Coordinates of all heavy atoms in Angstrom, one line a residue:
P1034 N -11.3 -13.5 0.2 CA -10.7 -14.9 -0.1 C -11.8 -15.8 -0.8 O -11.4 -16.6 -1.6 CB -10.3 -15.4 1.3 CG -10.1 -14.2 2.1 CD -11.1 -13.2 1.6
T1035 N -12.9 -15.9 -0.3 CA -13.9 -16.9 -0.8 C -14.2 -16.6 -2.4 O -14.2 -17.5 -3.2 CB -15.3 -16.9 0.0 OG1 -15.0 -17.2 1.3 CG2 -16.2 -17.9 -0.6
F1036 N -14.3 -15.3 -2.6 CA -14.6 -14.9 -4.0 C -13.3 -15.0 -4.9 O -13.5 -15.3 -6.1 CB -15.2 -13.6 -4.0 CG -16.6 -13.6 -3.5 CD1 -16.9 -13.4 -2.1 CD2 -17.7 -13.8 -4.3 CE1 -18.1 -13.5 -1.6 CE2 -19.0 -13.9 -3.9 CZ -19.2 -13.7 -2.5
I1037 N -12.1 -14.8 -4.3 CA -11.0 -15.1 -5.0 C -10.9 -16.5 -5.4 O -10.5 -16.9 -6.5 CB -9.8 -14.6 -4.2 CG1 -9.7 -13.1 -4.0 CG2 -8.4 -15.0 -4.8 CD1 -8.8 -12.6 -3.0
K1038 N -11.1 -17.4 -4.5 CA -11.2 -18.8 -4.8 C -12.2 -19.2 -5.9 O -11.9 -19.9 -6.8 CB -11.6 -19.7 -3.6 CG -10.6 -19.8 -2.5 CD -9.5 -20.8 -3.2 CE -8.3 -21.1 -2.1 NZ -7.2 -21.6 -2.8
L1039 N -13.3 -18.4 -6.0 CA -14.3 -18.7 -7.0 C -13.7 -18.3 -8.4 O -13.7 -18.9 -9.4 CB -15.6 -17.9 -6.7 CG -16.6 -17.9 -7.9 CD1 -17.1 -19.3 -8.1 CD2 -17.8 -16.9 -7.5
G1040 N -13.0 -17.1 -8.4 CA -12.3 -16.6 -9.5 C -11.3 -17.6 -10.0 O -11.0 -17.8 -11.2
Q1041 N -10.5 -18.2 -9.1 CA -9.5 -19.1 -9.5 C -10.1 -20.3 -10.1 O -9.7 -20.9 -11.1 CB -8.7 -19.6 -8.2 CG -7.8 -18.5 -7.6 CD -7.2 -19.0 -6.3 OE1 -7.7 -19.8 -5.6 NE2 -6.1 -18.3 -5.9
L1042 N -11.3 -20.8 -9.6 CA -11.9 -22.0 -10.2 C -12.5 -21.6 -11.6 O -12.2 -22.3 -12.5 CB -13.2 -22.3 -9.3 CG -14.1 -23.4 -9.9 CD1 -13.4 -24.7 -9.9 CD2 -15.4 -23.4 -9.1
L1043 N -13.0 -20.4 -11.7 CA -13.6 -20.0 -13.0 C -12.4 -19.8 -14.0 O -12.7 -20.0 -15.2 CB -14.4 -18.7 -12.9 CG -15.7 -18.8 -12.1 CD1 -16.3 -17.4 -12.0 CD2 -16.7 -19.7 -12.9
S1044 N -11.3 -19.5 -13.6 CA -10.1 -19.3 -14.5 C -9.7 -20.6 -15.2 O -9.0 -20.6 -16.2 CB -9.0 -18.7 -13.9 OG -8.3 -19.6 -13.0
T1045 N -10.1 -21.7 -14.6 CA -9.8 -23.0 -15.2 C -10.9 -23.6 -16.1 O -10.8 -24.6 -16.8 CB -9.5 -24.1 -14.1 OG1 -10.7 -24.3 -13.4 CG2 -8.4 -23.6 -13.1
R1046 N -12.0 -22.8 -16.2 CA -13.1 -23.4 -16.9 C -13.3 -22.8 -18.3 O -14.1 -21.9 -18.6 CB -14.5 -23.1 -16.1 CG -14.5 -23.8 -14.8 CD -14.5 -25.3 -15.0 NE -15.5 -25.8 -16.0 CZ -16.7 -26.2 -15.7 NH1 -17.1 -26.2 -14.5 NH2 -17.5 -26.6 -16.7
V1047 N -12.3 -23.2 -19.2 CA -12.3 -22.6 -20.6 C -13.6 -23.0 -21.3 O -13.9 -22.4 -22.4 CB -11.0 -23.2 -21.3 CG1 -9.8 -22.6 -20.7 CG2 -11.0 -24.6 -21.4
D1048 N -14.3 -24.0 -20.8 CA -15.5 -24.4 -21.5 C -16.7 -23.4 -21.2 O -17.7 -23.5 -22.0 CB -15.9 -25.8 -21.1 CG -16.1 -26.0 -19.5 OD1 -15.4 -25.3 -18.8 OD2 -17.0 -26.8 -19.1
V1049 N -16.6 -22.6 -20.2 CA -17.7 -21.7 -19.9 C -17.3 -20.3 -19.8 O -18.2 -19.3 -19.8 CB -18.4 -22.1 -18.5 CG1 -19.2 -23.4 -18.6 CG2 -17.5 -22.1 -17.4
M1050 N -16.1 -19.9 -19.7 CA -15.7 -18.6 -19.6 C -15.0 -18.1 -20.9 O -14.2 -18.9 -21.5 CB -14.7 -18.4 -18.5 CG -15.3 -18.7 -17.1 SD -16.6 -17.7 -16.5 CE -15.8 -16.2 -16.3
P1051 N -15.2 -16.8 -21.3 CA -14.6 -16.3 -22.4 C -13.1 -16.1 -22.2 O -12.6 -16.0 -21.1 CB -15.3 -14.9 -22.6 CG -16.4 -14.9 -21.8 CD -16.2 -15.9 -20.7
P1052 N -12.3 -16.1 -23.3 CA -10.8 -16.1 -23.2 C -10.4 -14.8 -22.3 O -9.3 -15.0 -21.6 CB -10.3 -16.0 -24.7 CG -11.4 -16.7 -25.5 CD -12.7 -16.3 -24.7
A1053 N -10.9 -13.7 -22.5 CA -10.5 -12.5 -21.8 C -10.6 -12.8 -20.3 O -9.8 -12.3 -19.5 CB -11.3 -11.3 -22.2
F1054 N -11.8 -13.4 -19.9 CA -11.9 -13.8 -18.4 C -11.0 -14.7 -18.0 O -10.4 -14.7 -16.8 CB -13.3 -14.2 -18.2 CG -14.4 -13.0 -18.1 CD1 -14.7 -12.4 -19.3 CD2 -14.9 -12.7 -17.0 CE1 -15.7 -11.4 -19.3 CE2 -15.8 -11.6 -16.9 CZ -16.2 -11.0 -18.1
I1055 N -10.7 -15.8 -18.7 CA -9.7 -16.8 -18.4 C -8.3 -16.1 -18.2 O -7.7 -16.4 -17.1 CB -9.6 -17.9 -19.6 CG1 -10.9 -18.7 -19.7 CG2 -8.4 -18.8 -19.2 CD1 -11.3 -19.5 -18.5
E1056 N -7.9 -15.3 -19.0 CA -6.6 -14.7 -18.9 C -6.6 -13.7 -17.7 O -5.6 -13.8 -16.9 CB -6.4 -13.7 -20.2 CG -5.0 -13.1 -20.2 CD -4.8 -12.3 -21.5 OE1 -5.4 -12.6 -22.5 OE2 -4.1 -11.3 -21.4
E1057 N -7.6 -13.0 -17.4 CA -7.6 -12.1 -16.3 C -7.7 -12.8 -15.0 O -7.0 -12.6 -14.0 CB -8.8 -11.0 -16.4 CG -8.7 -9.8 -15.5 CD -7.4 -8.9 -15.8 OE1 -7.1 -8.7 -17.0 OE2 -6.9 -8.4 -14.9
L1058 N -8.6 -13.8 -14.9 CA -8.9 -14.5 -13.7 C -7.7 -15.4 -13.3 O -7.5 -15.8 -12.2 CB -10.2 -15.2 -13.7 CG -11.4 -14.4 -13.8 CD1 -12.7 -15.3 -13.9 CD2 -11.6 -13.4 -12.6
S1059 N -7.0 -15.8 -14.3 CA -5.8 -16.7 -14.1 C -4.7 -16.0 -13.3 O -4.0 -16.7 -12.4 CB -5.1 -17.1 -15.4 OG -5.9 -17.9 -16.1
T1060 N -4.7 -14.7 -13.2 CA -3.8 -14.0 -12.4 C -4.1 -14.1 -10.8 O -3.2 -13.9 -10.0 CB -3.7 -12.4 -12.7 OG1 -4.9 -11.8 -12.4 CG2 -3.3 -12.2 -14.1
L1061 N -5.3 -14.6 -10.6 CA -5.7 -14.8 -9.2 C -5.0 -16.1 -8.7 O -5.0 -16.3 -7.4 CB -7.2 -15.0 -9.0 CG -8.1 -13.6 -9.3 CD1 -9.6 -14.1 -9.3 CD2 -7.7 -12.6 -8.4
Q1062 N -4.5 -16.9 -9.5 CA -3.8 -18.1 -9.1 C -2.5 -17.8 -8.3 O -2.3 -18.5 -7.3 CB -3.4 -19.0 -10.3 CG -4.6 -19.5 -11.1 CD -5.4 -20.5 -10.5 OE1 -5.1 -21.0 -9.5 NE2 -6.6 -20.8 -10.9
D1063 N -1.8 -16.9 -8.6 CA -0.5 -16.6 -7.9 C -0.1 -15.1 -8.0 O 1.0 -14.7 -7.6 CB 0.6 -17.4 -8.5 CG 0.9 -17.2 -10.0 OD1 0.2 -16.3 -10.6 OD2 1.8 -17.8 -10.5
Q1064 N -1.0 -14.2 -8.3 CA -0.7 -12.8 -8.4 C -1.6 -11.9 -7.6 O -1.9 -10.8 -8.0 CB -0.5 -12.3 -9.8 CG 0.5 -13.0 -10.6 CD 0.5 -12.7 -12.1 OE1 0.1 -11.5 -12.5 NE2 0.9 -13.6 -12.9
C1065 N -2.1 -12.4 -6.5 CA -3.0 -11.6 -5.7 C -2.2 -10.6 -5.0 O -1.0 -10.8 -4.7 CB -3.7 -12.4 -4.7 SG -4.9 -13.5 -5.4
P1066 N -2.8 -9.4 -4.7 CA -2.1 -8.4 -3.9 C -1.8 -8.9 -2.5 O -2.7 -9.6 -1.9 CB -2.9 -7.2 -3.9 CG -4.3 -7.7 -4.3 CD -4.1 -8.9 -5.0
P1067 N -0.7 -8.7 -1.9 CA -0.4 -9.1 -0.6 C -1.2 -8.3 0.4 O -1.7 -7.2 0.2 CB 1.1 -8.9 -0.4 CG 1.4 -7.7 -1.4 CD 0.4 -7.9 -2.5

Side-chain angles (χ1 to χ4, degrees):
T1035 301
F1036 290 88
I1037 294 170
K1038 282 288 182 197
L1039 176 62
Q1041 290 172 338
L1042 172 71
L1043 291 173
S1044 76
T1045 66
R1046 295 300 309 268
V1047 295
D1048 57 328
V1049 291
M1050 298 299 290
F1054 280 77
I1055 296 294
E1056 184 178 332
E1057 195 65 40
L1058 295 178
S1059 292
T1060 64
L1061 296 175
Q1062 298 289 347
D1063 60 0
Q1064 297 174 31
C1065 289

